[in-house]
Amino acid sequence: MPRYQQIARQIKQAIGDGELAAGSRLPSSRTMAQELGVARATVENAYGELVAQGWLERRGQAGTFVSPSATATASRADLASSRPQGAPMPFQMGLPALDAFPRALWARLMGRRLRLQTRYDLVMPEATGESTLRQAIADYLRFSRSIDCQPEQIFIAAGFQAAMRLAVRTLAKPGDGIWLEDPGYRYVRPVFADAGMVLHPVPVDDEGMQIGYGLDNYPQARFALLTPAHQSPLGVALSLARRHQLLDWASARQSWVIEDDYDSEFRYHGKPLPPVKSLDGPERVIYAGTFSKSMFPALRTAWLVVPQQQIAAFTRQTRHLPCTVPVLIQQTIADFLREGHFWRHLKKMRHCYSERRVWLENALSKEGFEVVPQEGGIQLVMRVQGDDRERVAKARAAGLAVQALSDWRITPEGAGGIVMSFTNVVSEEQAQRYARRLRQAIT
Amino acid sequence: MPRYQQIARQIKQAIGDGELAAGSRLPSSRTMAQELGVARATVENAYGELVAQGWLERRGQAGTFVSPSATATASRADLASSRPQGAPMPFQMGLPALDAFPRALWARLMGRRLRLQTRYDLVMPEATGESTLRQAIADYLRFSRSIDCQPEQIFIAAGFQAAMRLAVRTLAKPGDGIWLEDPGYRYVRPVFADAGMVLHPVPVDDEGMQIGYGLDNYPQARFALLTPAHQSPLGVALSLARRHQLLDWASARQSWVIEDDYDSEFRYHGKPLPPVKSLDGPERVIYAGTFSKSMFPALRTAWLVVPQQQIAAFTRQTRHLPCTVPVLIQQTIADFLREGHFWRHLKKMRHCYSERRVWLENALSKEGFEVVPQEGGIQLVMRVQGDDRERVAKARAAGLAVQALSDWRITPEGAGGIVMSFTNVVSEEQAQRYARRLRQAIT
């Protein structure tokens, strides 16, 4: 096949695949010839053939364009549809209420930042994170979480895993032990395993992680990772006595407590306990937060608060694991915080989740399920007798995105359960419908 | 100090530090009291004191606000000034021409995306990258770089280091050897060292990496990383004979070639060689590209093209190292590519860099420096006799951001040199001024 026909075929294929949008301009034949390293006449032959066939059209001086009739893609509708249109699956975990985020306000704030950007906003983000966002987070933590910290103690990272990777690279060495909640969040475990650390499962009861079990079995561990506000997934808070026990251990052993405070904002009964970090006289706590649940996951933005004495060590490691959150995203989050929108949004979400949670809890109880009482968080756990994985497989086959508690466990023992989210349950009626479908699917 | 005074002091400090912007609304006393876990009256006392002192003002039903006179921060000017205002330092490397990027067009494209976003754009990015961007990159590679690949072969990552980390996690095991160009880009080396790989320096001459040296000394290596288009930093192209030698080795040994094609778009003399990937019949090449140089570094967006047979393995690893580039950024880059802006920008930049390069090369020659001839890329190298680090230290003391070639080397031998960028040299006159300052600083 002659070269010009090869080129023509590639262009047609790109149009057919939707890769070249209808109405878009092609490079000039001169430019295209340079790009491809062929003679200009070759490209002109290819363009000419496609114009004759109706794929392309010439618009005089303006150039050569993909014919609007050649494909129905690349319309405004297509632009908007380039992500799957489907709503979250019923009970799908890891998402905030997608209907409740103030998208128009967010677009306005980001639009303002876009207009204000100078050429100097095009350079790499600061390896530690943009100072404007570090300041805004320090301010938020001081007011909302009673954590008194300086902006320099805050390190921005592209999500919780990236934040953990930075902490591990700075503080851990191969062979170091780490206490992990069992059951607990599993997707972070490879970060520790990759670093050659030894994973010590510590059981959870109704006061949270059993610190005494850790002390008895792995006193020499160098780290403890936990979710003190609402244990993930069981939802219990770490008791005050255990918080002190934990800090005493870390202080005596010079070990590190990593506090994952990802959903602390969402508590529905009683007064929230302040974070462990706020009790951290001995400076042994690395605090981790994220905007994935309090704003939305597409941002991929999390942060660490590190002790004053560790600022230099963390800063050095950001050379190898720099913050990769784009500058514009960091700036807009900072504005969202500084201008009070974050507080207002959290307040609205607490009300929203409190309502959705009750809807789903009531609906599940009505269907005969046994919901474990929880004080906060953005998920529910139900007790089930027998093999929870088998039940969950049936539910998933019916399109319900619940998870088996056994899949959150490190050790195989322990009661079965079903874990689910209520954040995108938008009405009482929907909650009842979902609960009924779940019962029908698994019984 | 009573609790209400502590709260008042924290608020004042936040205003003084610019953390609470002038004119921004504080949470209601009820909300703040809940946040802080104190009585509402305590917060009202704090607010009252600050109103009396002029820090805050009440606006009836609208709420309590930071007084506009309390601080001069948070004006529009402050918003714009939250990044350092300084221009790049003379000769500073790693930056494209900051004055040449079409910021207004970019803001328009992103603004359109922002308006079109639905609630489903708020969820996590696809772990492998957004399909719309993977398609746009495949299309660009087909036309511009003669690489025929499917969108599924493309994996988006938050920068080149993140892309390398994904490749290493998928393909490498501890003890695997890797050929690295010597001199070469040093900030990627810790990615391989962290994975327990063995780093084999391979010298570079005027045909690029000395493949024969690698074959003689480390034939058993599992990887070779190189910059075939314009070796970084020496600027030479890998000769065609060596490309075949490299692919023959990889094919015979079932080793992997990682082709870093980061600045291939910028070539000023002769016809560009197609990438090694375009010759990759045996499917042993992992191709890496980035938008940091062809667009701007604040995007933190790079990509890999992997062989068809490796799609499943790479996809599995994205569970542990998911793409963290925010969805909106990926969508906007895709539009920039699909609508032809990327091609037009690259064309403009080739002209711009070709001009700036000649300005600086001529200016340096006029000052008696010996510039190494280069066919492309976005940096220049000058030969120097004696200790290049000492010269560079003097230049840096004079505010000139040149680098010592010795700092790019793995082995201590080899001629000295000075490495620098010309991308932000905006006029012939400025080039002459910089060259003169450099000569004065180091001689």
Side-chain angles (χ1 to χ4, degrees):
Chain A
M1 196 188 291
R3 190 78 178 96
Y4 84 94
Q5 283 191 0
Q6 291 174 26
I7 295 171
R9 198 180 56 168
Q10 285 178 333
I11 295 174
K12 274 194 281 192
Q13 196 178 334
I15 296 172
D17 296 348
E19 290 165 12
L20 264 182
S24 65
R25 191 171 79 174
L26 275 80
S28 73
S29 57
R30 180 195 301 273
T31 305
M32 179 74 106
Q34 283 170 357
E35 304 281 356
L36 299 177
V38 300
R40 190 173 168 188
T42 307
V43 175
E44 279 177 350
N45 279 345
Y47 282 12
E49 176 148 313
L50 293 171
V51 169
Q53 295 172 0
W55 290 87
L56 301 182
E57 60 181 44
R58 297 201 199 276
R59 299 189 194 153
Q61 288 286 71
T64 305
F65 291 76
V66 178
S67 170
S69 60
T71 163
T73 57
S75 60
R76 269 180 81 90
D78 174 64
L79 272 174
S81 75
S82 58
R83 282 191 63 82
Q85 282 289 346
M89 286 171 70
F91 306 120
Q92 188 176 329
M93 298 185 65
L95 293 176
L98 298 180
D99 56 327
F101 188 76
R103 291 203 314 280
L105 166 67
W106 177 256
R108 192 151 45 78
L109 293 180
M110 188 171 275
R112 188 179 64 185
R113 273 289 177 188
L114 269 167
R115 288 190 301 278
L116 288 168
Q117 281 203 313
T118 74
R119 65 182 65 169
Y120 308 122
D121 292 304
L122 303 180
V123 306
M124 287 269 271
E126 295 286 333
T128 53
E130 293 298 298
S131 63
T132 181
L133 180 57
R134 297 168 89 191
Q135 287 223 350
I137 291 173
D139 185 40
Y140 151 72
L141 291 174
R142 189 180 309 137
F143 282 105
S144 281
R145 304 295 297 142
S146 312
I147 295 174
D148 196 8
C149 65
Q150 299 302 311
E152 295 73 30
Q153 291 173 259
I154 292 175
F155 290 78
I156 313 292
F160 179 65
Q161 283 188 11
M164 286 302 103
R165 206 164 271 120
L166 177 61
V168 161
R169 197 180 211 285
T170 308
L171 301 174
K173 53 184 195 313
D176 281 358
I178 181 167
W179 297 355
L180 295 176
E181 292 166 326
D182 186 16
Y185 181 66
R186 66 187 137 156
Y187 293 112
V188 70
R189 290 174 205 154
V191 175
F192 306 117
D194 284 357
M197 296 171 72
V198 182
L199 280 50
H200 299 307
V202 178
V204 175
D205 62 20
D206 56 9
E207 288 184 58
M209 184 188 251
Q210 294 180 22
I211 307 301
Y213 182 96
L215 294 175
D216 289 346
N217 291 277
Y218 326 108
Q220 78 297 345
R222 305 289 309 131
F223 293 86
L225 169 67
L226 61 183
T227 48
H230 320 111
Q231 199 275 330
S232 174
L234 297 177
V236 295
L238 188 68
S239 67
L240 192 59
R242 290 202 182 160
R243 287 166 189 242
H244 285 298
Q245 211 180 358
L246 176 70
L247 285 172
D248 288 347
W249 162 78
S251 177
R253 293 272 180 170
Q254 292 291 290
S255 295
W256 296 106
V257 173
I258 305 176
E259 176 172 32
D260 176 5
D261 204 35
Y262 78 107
D263 70 350
S264 62
E265 294 292 353
F266 305 120
R267 191 175 176 88
Y268 316 107
H269 304 296
K271 207 170 118 174
L273 286 169
V276 175
K277 180 69 188 168
S278 71
L279 307 170
D280 184 27
E283 302 249 297
R284 303 309 303 171
V285 178
I286 313 292
Y287 176 96
T290 172
F291 293 114
S292 287
K293 305 301 183 290
S294 55
M295 293 178 66
F296 57 92
L299 290 175
R300 307 313 307 128
T301 306
W303 72 87
L304 296 176
V305 184
V306 313
Q308 286 273 2
Q309 303 94 310
Q310 297 301 323
I311 293 174
F314 274 80
T315 303
R316 273 195 301 279
Q317 292 305 325
T318 60
R319 173 185 285 232
H320 303 297
L321 289 172
C323 169
T324 62
V325 181
V327 173
L328 180 74
I329 300 280
Q330 295 190 57
Q331 291 172 332
T332 309
I333 296 174
D335 291 346
F336 195 77
L337 266 64
R338 301 200 314 176
E339 297 176 17
H341 306 299
F342 189 55
W343 272 330
R344 281 191 285 279
H345 178 59
L346 287 176
K347 189 182 162 185
K348 187 174 96 179
M349 295 318 292
R350 270 189 289 266
H351 176 75
C352 165
Y353 288 157
S354 163
E355 187 171 60
R356 291 178 180 191
R357 195 164 170 281
V358 170
W359 288 340
L360 190 59
E361 202 174 336
N362 289 347
L364 291 166
S365 302
K366 225 164 98 181
E367 295 292 336
F369 290 113
E370 187 187 356
V371 180
V372 178
Q374 289 182 287
E375 288 150 351
I378 55 172
Q379 50 215 18
L380 283 180
V381 184
M382 305 190 310
R383 288 196 190 92
V384 296
Q385 306 302 327
D387 186 347
D388 55 357
R389 286 198 180 94
E390 192 193 335
R391 310 281 175 91
V392 162
K394 285 182 185 166
R396 295 189 81 99
L400 305 171
V402 294
Q403 296 188 17
L405 184 56
S406 298
D407 286 334
W408 290 64
R409 292 193 187 278
I410 306 175
T411 50
E413 303 95 58
I418 293 179
V419 193
M420 59 180 62
S421 168
F422 53 79
T423 52
N424 284 289
V425 173
V426 298
S427 70
E428 196 164 6
E429 183 277 329
Q430 194 190 51
Q432 288 165 358
R433 195 151 32 86
Y434 284 1
R436 205 174 316 123
R437 278 174 61 187
L438 184 61
R439 185 182 47 72
Q440 288 164 351
I442 71 179
T443 54
Chain B
M1 196 189 292
R3 190 78 179 96
Y4 84 92
Q5 283 190 0
Q6 291 174 26
I7 296 171
R9 197 179 56 170
Q10 284 178 331
I11 295 174
K12 274 194 282 192
Q13 197 178 333
I15 296 172
D17 295 350
E19 291 165 11
L20 264 181
S24 64
R25 191 169 79 172
L26 275 80
S28 73
S29 58
R30 181 194 301 272
T31 305
M32 178 75 105
Q34 283 168 357
E35 303 280 358
L36 299 176
V38 300
R40 190 174 167 188
T42 306
V43 174
E44 279 177 349
N45 278 345
Y47 282 11
E49 176 149 313
L50 293 171
V51 169
Q53 294 173 1
W55 290 87
L56 302 182
E57 60 183 43
R58 297 202 198 274
R59 298 187 195 158
Q61 288 286 72
T64 304
F65 291 77
V66 177
S67 170
S69 59
T71 162
T73 58
S75 60
R76 271 180 79 92
D78 173 64
L79 273 174
S81 74
S82 58
R83 280 191 65 79
Q85 282 290 345
M89 287 171 70
F91 306 120
Q92 188 176 327
M93 299 186 63
L95 293 176
L98 298 180
D99 56 327
F101 188 77
R103 291 202 315 281
L105 166 67
W106 177 256
R108 191 151 46 77
L109 293 180
M110 188 172 276
R112 187 179 64 187
R113 273 288 177 189
L114 269 167
R115 288 190 300 279
L116 288 168
Q117 281 203 313
T118 74
R119 65 182 64 169
Y120 308 122
D121 293 304
L122 303 181
V123 307
M124 288 269 271
E126 294 286 332
T128 53
E130 293 297 299
S131 63
T132 182
L133 180 57
R134 298 167 89 191
Q135 286 223 350
I137 291 172
D139 185 41
Y140 152 73
L141 291 174
R142 190 179 309 139
F143 282 104
S144 281
R145 305 294 296 141
S146 313
I147 295 174
D148 195 7
C149 65
Q150 299 303 312
E152 295 72 32
Q153 292 173 260
I154 292 175
F155 290 78
I156 313 293
F160 179 65
Q161 281 189 13
M164 286 302 103
R165 205 164 270 124
L166 177 62
V168 161
R169 199 180 210 283
T170 307
L171 301 174
K173 54 184 195 311
D176 281 359
I178 182 167
W179 297 355
L180 296 176
E181 293 166 326
D182 186 17
Y185 181 65
R186 64 186 139 155
Y187 293 112
V188 71
R189 290 173 205 154
V191 174
F192 306 117
D194 284 356
M197 296 171 72
V198 182
L199 279 51
H200 299 306
V202 177
V204 175
D205 63 20
D206 57 8
E207 288 184 58
M209 184 188 250
Q210 294 181 23
I211 307 300
Y213 182 97
L215 294 174
D216 290 346
N217 290 277
Y218 328 106
Q220 78 297 345
R222 305 290 309 131
F223 294 85
L225 169 68
L226 61 182
T227 47
H230 319 110
Q231 200 275 330
S232 174
L234 297 176
V236 295
L238 188 68
S239 68
L240 192 60
R242 289 201 182 160
R243 288 167 188 242
H244 285 297
Q245 210 180 0
L246 176 69
L247 284 172
D248 288 347
W249 163 76
S251 177
R253 293 271 180 171
Q254 292 291 290
S255 295
W256 297 106
V257 173
I258 304 176
E259 175 172 34
D260 175 6
D261 204 37
Y262 78 108
D263 70 349
S264 62
E265 294 293 352
F266 306 119
R267 191 174 176 90
Y268 317 108
H269 303 297
K271 206 171 119 175
L273 286 168
V276 175
K277 180 69 190 168
S278 71
L279 307 170
D280 184 26
E283 302 250 294
R284 303 308 304 171
V285 178
I286 313 291
Y287 176 95
T290 172
F291 294 114
S292 287
K293 305 300 183 291
S294 56
M295 292 177 68
F296 57 91
L299 290 176
R300 307 314 305 127
T301 306
W303 71 86
L304 296 177
V305 183
V306 313
Q308 286 273 3
Q309 303 94 312
Q310 298 300 323
I311 294 174
F314 273 80
T315 303
R316 273 195 301 279
Q317 293 305 324
T318 60
R319 174 184 284 232
H320 303 296
L321 289 172
C323 169
T324 62
V325 182
V327 173
L328 180 75
I329 300 281
Q330 294 190 58
Q331 291 172 333
T332 309
I333 296 174
D335 291 346
F336 194 78
L337 265 65
R338 300 200 315 176
E339 296 176 21
H341 306 299
F342 189 58
W343 273 330
R344 280 191 285 279
H345 177 59
L346 287 176
K347 188 179 165 188
K348 188 175 95 178
M349 296 318 293
R350 271 190 288 266
H351 177 75
C352 165
Y353 288 156
S354 162
E355 188 171 61
R356 292 179 180 190
R357 194 163 171 279
V358 170
W359 287 340
L360 190 59
E361 201 173 337
N362 290 348
L364 291 166
S365 302
K366 225 164 97 180
E367 296 293 335
F369 290 112
E370 187 188 354
V371 180
V372 178
Q374 289 182 284
E375 288 150 351
I378 55 172
Q379 52 215 16
L380 283 179
V381 184
M382 306 191 309
R383 288 197 189 90
V384 295
Q385 306 303 326
D387 185 348
D388 55 359
R389 287 200 180 93
E390 192 193 337
R391 310 282 175 90
V392 161
K394 285 180 186 167
R396 296 189 80 100
L400 306 171
V402 295
Q403 297 188 15
L405 183 57
S406 298
D407 286 333
W408 290 65
R409 292 192 188 278
I410 306 175
T411 49
E413 303 94 59
I418 293 179
V419 192
M420 58 181 63
S421 168
F422 52 80
T423 53
N424 285 288
V425 172
V426 297
S427 70
E428 196 163 8
E429 183 276 330
Q430 193 190 52
Q432 289 165 356
R433 197 152 29 88
Y434 284 1
R436 205 173 316 123
R437 278 174 61 188
L438 185 61
R439 185 183 47 72
Q440 288 164 351
I442 71 179
T443 54

